[in-house]
Amino acid sequence: DSQWRAYRGSFVTLLLAAAVTTALTRRIKAEKPTARLACGLAFVAVAHGGGAGCVVGVCGLFHAASFLPPALAVPAAWALALACLLAKDPALPYRRALPAPCWPVLGA
């Protein structure tokens, strides 16, 4: 399938970018989660190109959930993950009810 062929063709580049991003984030102290998030978002922007806006927004939501107390953070992360899965499946009514159901990032 052409999608997998394109992925395999850029795999070395993605692997190198992931290694550089990992090295950078490990050098940033754990007390600076926003700086680490910025490094990760830079990788997402490079990996996803023009369709990165929605992915970056979802990453921001997960990052915001990480600042909640643990009793709320874990359920919030699971709820966000479930919402993402539901939004991805075009056969579900949840997806059809989204304000912009033809977003390219959702594969519509």
Side-chain angles (χ1 to χ4, degrees):
D1 152 72
S2 64
Q3 179 182 4
W4 287 108
R5 197 170 322 129
Y7 174 75
R8 285 191 307 267
S10 62
F11 182 71
V12 173
T13 305
L14 287 173
L15 187 61
L16 289 172
V20 169
T21 304
T22 301
L24 285 173
T25 56
R26 288 187 185 259
R27 293 192 58 92
I28 299 170
K29 295 188 187 273
E31 297 86 37
K32 300 188 185 233
T34 305
R36 294 178 76 140
L37 174 69
C39 288
L41 292 180
F43 175 75
V44 167
V46 169
H48 288 275
C54 186
V55 177
V56 167
V58 170
C59 290
L61 289 173
F62 276 99
H63 181 67
S66 73
F67 288 102
L68 294 171
L72 295 175
V74 173
W78 278 103
L80 283 169
L82 180 61
C84 289
L85 288 172
L86 291 174
K88 185 71 178 158
D89 190 346
L92 296 175
Y94 174 80
R95 163 77 176 272
R96 290 189 296 268
L98 289 174
C102 294
W103 290 344
V105 74
L106 293 177

